Amino acid sequence: MWRLPPHTRTGAFAALGGAAGVATAWALAHPAGPDVAATIRVLSDLLGATVLGLCLLVLLQRGDRRPAVPLPRLWRPMAVASAAWAVAEAALLVAAAAETAEVSAGALTPVTVGHFISEISVGRIGVATVLATTALSVAATIAFRREAHWPLTPFAAVAVLALVARSVTGHMSAYTLGPVLVAAHVLAAALWIGPLIAMALLLRGRGAWAQLLTRYSDLAWKCVVVVAITGAVDAAIALGGLDAVVTTGYGRIVLAKTVGLLALLALGWWWRRRWVPAAAAHRATEAVSLRNASIDVLALAVVFGLAAALATTA
């Protein structure tokens, strides 16, 4: 991993942390879950967060005469991340079809898949998500080739819909405000990690980090509040009582996720005391900021992995 170019290591750490989170959840909840698709799910969530984070970089630079990341530089990573996201979503669609038909993925037939994507809501949502992420990749590729200065609002809107589509159909959909809470939770989490991955990919020089890190830090703390509140409500409804925290696999994953969130809060507090002021004053080198971003993304991705595992745990 250390042989990777410095600006791509953060993405590798995100994938590693997500896988570690799923593995931790498996150890805590087996045999109640999670299933194998949880690993693909966390990769999909991280890729979607990255796409949304790339879109948000424009907002973080709004009003700057000399943006740290000019718009044309966003298109290539967005095209690549969106394409990988589409592949992950296609894999999730196949896994869901196989689970519904109670066969292996290799035993699926065109008739079975056709029935799944036309008659079952999960299948229809899965197809829509694959098409949306594919469209994002195609549009970003065209923009890259043309060095376009297109507005990113439509890209961000499509990314938001693709991120929340699957999540809002879970167990919380049975409650009046359930889908709203889940959507807020998913988007806040994506806006917490996504811009940081995007910054690690694209920022060059200590001046760029000085320009954007403080703004990202202010956004991150707002996201923390939303994630904590919506996550607590979701957990309270799903668990039904405190005893389930230790007696069920789902509860043990929730407990691990809570511990992870508290660790992230402590890390964020430390960064705001040390890294953020140093970067704002141009005292933190680019290498130091990349290292700290990688540490933060790794820790965040572990919690993302735990969250993805909850979706497939009884």
Side-chain angles (χ1 to χ4, degrees), residues 18-152:
V22 173
T24 301
W26 186 88
L28 291 170
H30 186 75
D35 61 30
V36 177
T39 303
I40 305 173
R41 182 172 184 137
V42 70
L43 292 176
S44 175
D45 291 343
L46 289 169
L47 287 163
T50 301
V51 172
L52 188 58
L54 289 165
C55 294
L56 198 72
L57 280 188
V58 173
L59 180 61
L60 291 177
Q61 299 176 103
R62 186 173 55 185
D64 292 346
R65 291 185 177 181
R66 299 182 62 183
V69 184
L71 180 57
R73 283 188 57 208
L74 293 172
W75 297 125
R76 173 183 275 182
M78 186 177 296
V80 173
S82 297
W85 188 11
V87 171
E89 287 293 336
L92 285 173
L93 182 63
V94 171
E99 181 181 7
T100 301
E102 298 183 341
V103 297
S104 66
L108 285 171
T109 65
V111 173
T112 303
V113 174
H115 177 268
F116 178 70
I117 64 178
S118 63
E119 302 296 333
I120 300 177
S121 61
V122 174
R124 292 195 294 268
I125 290 172
V127 169
T129 305
V130 171
L131 292 176
T133 51
T134 301
L136 282 173
S137 181
V138 171
T141 300
I142 294 172
F144 169 68
R145 292 184 177 276
R146 296 183 178 181
E147 297 185 356
H149 285 78
W150 295 345
L152 280 173

Side-chain angles (χ1 to χ4, degrees), residues 69-307:
V69 184
L71 180 57
R73 283 188 57 208
L74 293 172
W75 297 125
R76 173 183 275 182
M78 186 177 296
V80 173
S82 297
W85 188 11
V87 171
E89 287 293 336
L92 285 173
L93 182 63
V94 171
E99 181 181 7
T100 301
E102 298 183 341
V103 297
S104 66
L108 285 171
T109 65
V111 173
T112 303
V113 174
H115 177 268
F116 178 70
I117 64 178
S118 63
E119 302 296 333
I120 300 177
S121 61
V122 174
R124 292 195 294 268
I125 290 172
V127 169
T129 305
V130 171
L131 292 176
T133 51
T134 301
L136 282 173
S137 181
V138 171
T141 300
I142 294 172
F144 169 68
R145 292 184 177 276
R146 296 183 178 181
E147 297 185 356
H149 285 78
W150 295 345
L152 280 173
T153 303
F155 290 82
V158 173
V160 166
L161 291 174
L163 274 167
V164 304
R166 189 191 323 104
S167 302
V168 298
T169 60
H171 67 275
M172 289 292 287
S173 62
Y175 300 90
T176 303
L177 295 178
V180 176
L181 288 171
V182 171
H185 187 80
V186 170
L187 289 180
L191 290 173
W192 188 357
I193 193 173
L196 190 57
I197 296 175
M199 289 162 62
L201 285 171
L202 293 174
L203 294 193
R204 300 292 185 271
R206 68 177 70 194
W209 285 95
Q211 186 175 343
L212 291 182
L213 185 60
T214 301
R215 300 172 192 175
Y216 162 74
S217 180
D218 291 340
L219 170 67
W221 280 106
K222 295 180 177 68
C223 293
V224 168
V225 173
V226 176
V227 167
I229 293 174
T230 55
V233 174
D234 188 0
I237 293 174
L239 291 173
L242 288 177
D243 59 328
V245 172
V246 292
T247 60
T248 66
Y250 190 98
R252 290 190 291 272
I253 297 176
V254 168
L255 181 60
K257 186 182 172 185
T258 302
V259 171
L261 180 60
L262 292 174
L264 287 171
L265 288 173
L267 183 61
W269 174 82
W270 178 255
W271 287 150
R272 284 179 70 90
R273 284 178 57 88
R274 299 291 182 175
W275 177 27
V276 175
H282 295 259
R283 295 196 308 270
T285 65
E286 179 184 356
V288 167
S289 290
L290 279 173
R291 181 201 65 197
N292 292 348
S294 295
I295 293 171
D296 208 37
V297 165
L298 177 64
L300 276 163
V302 171
V303 178
F304 258 68
L306 291 167

